[in-house]
Amino acid sequence: MYKSIKTKLKLNNKQKTFLAQHAGYSRWVYNWGLSLWNAAYKDGYKPNARKLREVFTNHTKPLYPWMKNLSSKVYQYAFRNLGEAFKRFFQGLGKRPRFKKKGRSDSFTIDNCGKPVELNGWSHKLPFIGWVKTYEPIEATTQKITISRQAGNWYLSLSYEFSATPTPKITDVVGVDLGVKTLATLSTGQAFPSIKPYRTAQDKLAKLQRELSRKVKHSNNWHNSVIKLARQHRRVANIRKDALQKLTTHLAKNHGHVVIEDLNVSGMMANHKLAKSIADQGFYEFRRQLEYKTQWYGSELVVADRFFPSSKTCSNCGHVQDMPLHLRTYDCPECGLSIDRDLNASINLRHAVGLTVNACG
Ligand SMILES: [Zn+2]
């Protein structure tokens, strides 16, 4: 089974320049090859990518010293791509290859001279390019990588052979309730405290913001404050990222089936207070991470129906009642159950899956 990844790169200006040079090299070679191909065809020859590449390597490349500073893989792949574009055109599968324009199709492909490229975690050593960082962890072994630019951002794409590495599971089925007071409550009784990084760091952010407003714009002090503020924002984002990564890894690694609610996010966003909390806690990100991590660890993500009343139903007898947000405890008038609101919801989510549930789960 093959899977593809495309993910954003975290780069400094020097790296961006280096990548832009490679993309420019790729475009230069592709356009050079295309114009020669067209000219040769007009003169009655039957060009192909391999022949053009030979001409380029032996006669053209030596004339341009700047090419020596860039990976030679770039031009090899540019010719390969040109050949494939013509092949698709001749088979009637694509349009006649056209010249690449700067800013529209900035990309290049490289490989590791036959050796696989290993990507593991947040930092990656790419052949020739060196160390780059990504905004999400990647686990993949691939033969080639493509780097491209879109709207000023750089992306890494690759495909790899995918094999799950299942981990032993503590619990067969776990229901997870995402909350406002608590980040996540598991049907096992385990709770992950709310991160609310913005709220806890809000005082500090507000203080920095006040300091900034008192300073003369573009003065040295003002610049220092801008940097401090940006640093605090980044710190806050990292706390959140870290908490979510830990939670989703724990869920996917230790549970056979992870049952979550299909959050009616647009409905919840109408509630201003809830909306901030949802944004803070990264609920979209939570689901996205679970989707790929359950695949990594051989578990399954189950998304309960959007209209499943997980908060309103008694997890013991099935009685349904209204549960306004301020009620933190579910008190059942039918069977007398009194249970934490979020725990009750998570147990309902666990029951929502028609599976045999481990007695101690
Ligand atoms: Zn009940």
Side-chain angles (χ1 to χ4, degrees):
M1 177 159 85
Y2 275 87
K3 292 198 73 176
S4 303
I5 301 179
K6 183 172 183 179
T7 194
K8 198 165 147 184
L9 289 169
K10 196 174 186 176
L11 305 165
N12 60 36
N13 283 336
K14 207 175 153 195
Q15 290 176 310
K16 284 179 190 168
T17 306
F18 197 45
L19 296 187
Q21 286 170 343
H22 278 87
Y25 186 21
S26 178
R27 183 177 57 244
W28 194 100
V29 171
Y30 187 94
N31 288 343
W32 179 91
L34 178 55
S35 76
L36 204 63
W37 189 304
N38 289 341
Y41 192 73
K42 240 183 216 166
D43 290 345
Y45 295 103
K46 272 194 98 179
N48 66 49
R50 192 180 49 80
K51 276 188 215 162
L52 289 174
R53 199 180 89 177
E54 273 172 30
V55 175
F56 176 84
T57 312
N58 296 325
H59 304 287
T60 308
K61 194 169 180 283
L63 303 176
Y64 298 93
W66 58 267
M67 293 178 178
K68 268 193 279 187
N69 302 327
L70 306 174
S71 167
S72 55
K73 291 294 163 190
V74 168
Y75 86 81
Q76 294 167 11
Y77 276 101
F79 282 112
R80 196 185 291 187
N81 291 342
L82 181 66
E84 278 164 11
F86 268 107
K87 195 173 158 193
R88 280 195 302 276
F89 169 60
F90 292 138
Q91 289 172 339
L93 299 170
K95 286 184 184 163
R96 186 175 186 90
R98 292 199 296 183
F99 290 99
K100 288 186 189 288
K101 282 184 185 150
K102 189 180 179 179
R104 273 254 290 277
S105 36
D106 292 340
S107 76
F108 64 92
T109 302
I110 48 171
D111 63 29
N112 200 14
C113 306
K115 278 175 282 179
V117 184
E118 306 260 357
L119 298 116
N120 193 330
W122 306 79
S123 289
H124 317 281
K125 196 176 184 205
L126 304 182
F128 206 89
I129 301 299
W131 288 97
V132 295
K133 284 180 180 169
T134 46
Y135 287 90
E136 61 180 334
I138 303 176
E139 306 280 341
T141 301
T142 186
Q143 295 305 319
K144 59 175 184 178
I145 51 170
T146 294
I147 291 174
S148 58
R149 177 161 60 185
Q150 272 167 12
N153 294 314
W154 288 92
Y155 295 87
L156 170 72
S157 25
L158 56 93
S159 71
Y160 65 102
E161 205 169 349
F162 169 74
S163 61
T165 44
T167 48
K169 306 292 184 250
I170 299 166
T171 309
D172 187 18
V173 186
V174 69
V176 186
D177 181 70
L178 290 175
V180 177
K181 297 264 181 233
T182 311
L183 173 60
T185 306
L186 278 50
S187 57
T188 53
Q190 196 177 357
F192 283 74
S194 186
I195 38 181
K196 280 182 201 135
Y198 279 111
R199 235 165 284 170
T200 47
Q202 207 168 27
D203 289 348
K204 186 152 189 211
L205 275 177
K207 192 174 146 249
L208 288 170
Q209 190 72 58
R210 273 199 308 278
E211 278 176 22
L212 183 68
S213 66
R214 278 199 300 269
K215 286 179 178 145
V216 181
K217 234 182 182 178
H218 303 298
S219 67
N220 277 345
N221 275 334
W222 182 85
H223 278 293
N224 287 340
S225 282
V226 168
I227 290 167
K228 262 191 204 163
L229 192 65
R231 204 173 284 153
Q232 177 68 4
H233 271 298
R234 199 159 56 229
R235 204 182 68 82
V236 155
N238 283 340
I239 297 170
R240 177 176 61 204
K241 202 159 70 181
D242 199 50
L244 275 181
Q245 290 287 358
K246 279 190 183 127
L247 170 63
T248 53
T249 298
H250 172 80
L251 290 170
K253 257 190 170 170
N254 299 306
H255 307 86
H257 300 77
V258 181
V259 192
I260 63 169
E261 213 159 3
D262 186 2
L263 280 176
N264 183 3
V265 174
S266 59
M268 290 174 91
M269 285 297 187
N271 179 331
H272 189 72
K273 247 172 135 179
L274 263 181
K276 181 155 168 45
S277 184
I278 289 169
D280 273 5
Q281 305 210 15
F283 287 174
Y284 297 103
E285 184 58 19
F286 170 77
R287 181 168 170 176
R288 199 185 67 85
Q289 287 179 10
L290 270 184
E291 272 164 7
Y292 68 75
K293 287 189 184 173
T294 47
Q295 290 190 326
W296 286 359
Y297 297 119
S299 50
E300 204 180 309
L301 177 65
V302 182
V303 181
D305 187 272
R306 171 165 300 192
F307 301 106
F308 176 69
S310 62
S311 309
K312 295 178 182 179
T313 308
C314 170
S315 57
N316 186 43
C317 73
H319 166 76
V320 177
Q321 66 186 18
D322 261 347
M323 280 294 290
L325 272 174
H326 69 270
L327 291 179
R328 298 310 308 158
T329 306
Y330 191 102
D331 289 307
C332 180
E334 293 292 322
C335 71
L337 177 75
S338 182
I339 184 174
D340 173 77
R341 171 200 183 93
D342 298 336
L343 181 59
N344 181 60
S346 68
I347 294 170
N348 280 326
L349 283 168
R350 187 188 71 191
H351 289 164
V353 178
L355 293 159
T356 323
V357 177
N358 192 332
C360 61

